[in-house]
Amino acid sequence: MSPDLPQLPLIAVTMGDGAGVGPEVVVAALLDEAVLGRCRPVVIGDAARLREAARILNLECEVAAVDHPRDAVFTPGRVNVVDLALLPADLPWGKLSEVAGDAAYEFVKRAAELALAEDVQGICTAPLNKEALHAAGHIYPGHTELLAHLTGTEEVSMMLSTEKVKVIHVTTHIGLIDAVNRIEPGLVERTVRRGHEAMVRAGTPNPVIGVCGINPHAGENGLFGYGEEAEKIEPALEKLKAAGVDARGPLPADTAFFLASRGDYDLIVAMYHDQGHGPVKVLGIEAGVNLTVGLPVIRTSVDHGTAFDIAGTGKAEAGSMVEALRQAAEMATAS
């Protein structure tokens, strides 16, 4: 064990929906040698489910229950878990479960409490299932909104990060018509500022930010749409430029991501969910990471879902979880 290990950041890793691939990707990632070299990860979840995941993956490891992250011992082959013991032993893999949805909520709640108390330096989340979450009575669109509620944060942004492109969203889990109605200059400006601050903290001191339009071809001077770009986006860009933020646009979204992938932009600002998610998932979902920007705590996540179709089969890839832990550790170290 490295003598510097105690100084590495403690990261709470929520297990996600126990019926999905979360337990598998968590175990596999926490046994990755590179992960222990960057952080001290402690799972918030269910010890028995993690042991079952290790068996499915044919991985030799010790899943050790601890009462608190400070009690964890970090040695190769050991997975530390704050065991909430909320899942039944016969929980089926790959099937929607109200019990699993409720447990996933409790995992996130405990992690948020630990982070707010500064008992851990960051949170890294495995995927939860929104339908299961709702079936359990927790009506949140996803992790982003749930963590905002748990931390008392009024407004946050979702950022997706891959090797080729990074994107932050002005709106996320709402319908397209509602998204267009919600977009206004103040929200655009605040989103860009959160993205700018996140990029600076991550080591890009002067990020070049491309801001997408709403309509095809960014409206093409009023040819498409009803002047939304001039009304909702351009006033924000004027204020940002005056403040020294290098935000450019509005850009046609169908070219913005190509330009970002070749290095013209450090960050792209998407106006709505699919405008940002589609290109990112094509360019790098395997190692993509989801970050919540604007929280009082660090939070990263895998950029994939619960994958019920392969849960419990040992086929899930842990690369996104490994990368999410790397970025959580990097952000915690820089804080």
Side-chain angles (χ1 to χ4, degrees):
M1 184 166 59
S2 166
D4 295 328
L5 197 57
Q7 281 70 51
L8 296 176
L10 271 170
I11 304 296
V13 185
T14 61
M15 198 181 76
D17 191 300
V21 297
E24 294 166 84
V25 299
V26 166
V27 168
L30 266 61
L31 293 177
D32 188 294
E33 291 182 5
V35 169
L36 273 181
R38 297 185 179 109
C39 65
R40 294 177 291 155
V42 178
V43 184
I44 313 299
D46 186 279
R49 198 61 167 180
L50 292 172
R51 293 187 186 106
E52 176 65 10
R55 185 193 66 77
I56 289 168
L57 293 166
N58 293 315
L59 293 172
E60 291 289 334
C61 69
E62 175 193 5
V63 176
V66 297
D67 292 329
H68 191 278
R70 64 172 165 262
D71 302 324
V73 176
F74 297 92
T75 56
R78 175 180 165 119
V79 174
N80 295 281
V81 54
V82 175
D83 184 14
L84 301 193
L86 297 174
L87 298 178
D90 60 351
L91 178 73
W93 294 93
K95 293 186 178 180
L96 188 75
S97 165
E98 177 183 325
V99 172
D102 185 59
Y105 169 84
E106 294 295 337
F107 301 156
V108 176
K109 181 181 177 184
R110 178 65 63 86
E113 291 169 350
L114 290 167
L116 288 172
E118 299 184 355
D119 291 328
V120 296
Q121 286 73 61
I123 300 170
C124 184
T125 61
L128 51 72
N129 183 280
K130 297 177 181 64
E131 191 175 349
L133 188 71
H134 291 183
H138 307 296
I139 312 302
Y140 301 93
H143 269 119
T144 302
E145 297 81 4
L146 172 55
L147 281 163
H149 170 75
L150 291 172
T151 59
T153 308
E154 186 173 336
E155 189 175 277
V156 296
S157 297
M158 177 188 291
M159 180 185 285
L160 303 181
S161 174
T162 72
E163 184 178 348
K164 289 187 176 180
V165 66
K166 293 177 174 60
V167 57
I168 191 169
H169 295 69
V170 175
T171 66
T172 50
H173 295 121
I174 56 176
L176 186 55
I177 292 174
D178 294 331
V180 174
N181 289 333
R182 184 173 295 183
I183 297 166
E184 50 87 21
L187 179 57
V188 173
E189 181 185 352
R190 293 191 299 274
T191 302
V192 175
R193 286 186 182 276
R194 280 191 286 269
H196 180 270
E197 291 166 6
M199 294 298 294
V200 170
R201 286 200 307 271
T204 304
N206 298 294
V208 180
I209 302 172
V211 181
C212 291
I214 297 171
N215 295 296
H217 299 249
E220 201 161 301
N221 298 316
L223 184 62
F224 305 116
Y226 300 92
E228 288 87 354
E229 282 74 19
E231 174 192 349
K232 297 171 177 286
I233 300 174
E234 290 176 10
L237 293 179
E238 291 172 5
K239 284 189 175 182
L240 289 161
K241 290 173 185 175
V245 177
D246 191 353
R248 308 176 187 182
L251 303 172
D254 59 351
T255 58
F257 287 91
F258 164 72
L259 295 174
S261 70
R262 75 178 189 186
D264 292 16
Y265 296 101
D266 299 304
L267 176 68
I268 293 294
V269 180
M271 291 295 129
Y272 50 90
H273 184 281
D274 286 12
Q275 188 182 62
H277 276 63
V280 166
K281 290 189 174 183
V282 169
L283 288 169
I285 187 172
E286 295 86 358
V289 175
N290 184 327
L291 301 88
T292 305
V293 182
L295 292 172
V297 300
I298 291 166
R299 180 260 173 164
T300 67
S301 178
V302 295
D303 187 26
H304 60 71
T306 46
F308 280 169
D309 57 325
I310 61 170
T313 68
K315 296 178 181 178
E317 294 287 337
S320 184
M321 178 57 77
V322 170
E323 179 62 15
L325 280 163
R326 184 193 70 79
Q327 293 202 31
E330 185 177 84
M331 293 167 68
T333 303
S335 296

